[in-house]
Amino acid sequence: FSGERPEVLREEPVLVYRRNHREIELLAEMEHARWNAERFIAGWSLGERDPAKKTSPYLVDWDELSEEIKDY
């Protein structure tokens, strides 16, 4: 920082959306479903984690994941 004031790029207010815990959980669940679909379409299946064989233990419903994996 050279001590100069930064240039103002816009005068309009910027909206900031705040999400509650339930909304974040719902978005995570939806993203996991999307991720599962992407993997299944690409030929992945349920099994021990092995990218070379296209197997993953995480190709299950959101409710079946451990809290540790959900928080990842």
Side-chain angles (χ1 to χ4, degrees), residues 16 18-19 27 34-35 39 41-42 45-47 61 65:
V16 176
R18 288 178 172 68
R19 302 277 183 222
L27 288 170
R34 186 212 58 81
W35 180 86
R39 293 297 187 272
I41 289 169
S45 60
L46 184 63
D61 288 337
L65 293 173

Side-chain angles (χ1 to χ4, degrees), residues 43-72:
W44 286 67
S45 60
L46 184 63
E48 288 188 32
R49 187 176 187 285
D50 187 341
K53 293 181 181 178
K54 292 188 173 183
T55 57
S56 172
Y58 311 121
L59 290 169
V60 296
D61 288 337
W62 178 255
D63 295 336
E64 296 178 49
L65 293 173
S66 70
E67 289 302 316
E68 180 182 354
I69 296 301
K70 287 180 181 180
D71 289 341
Y72 179 77

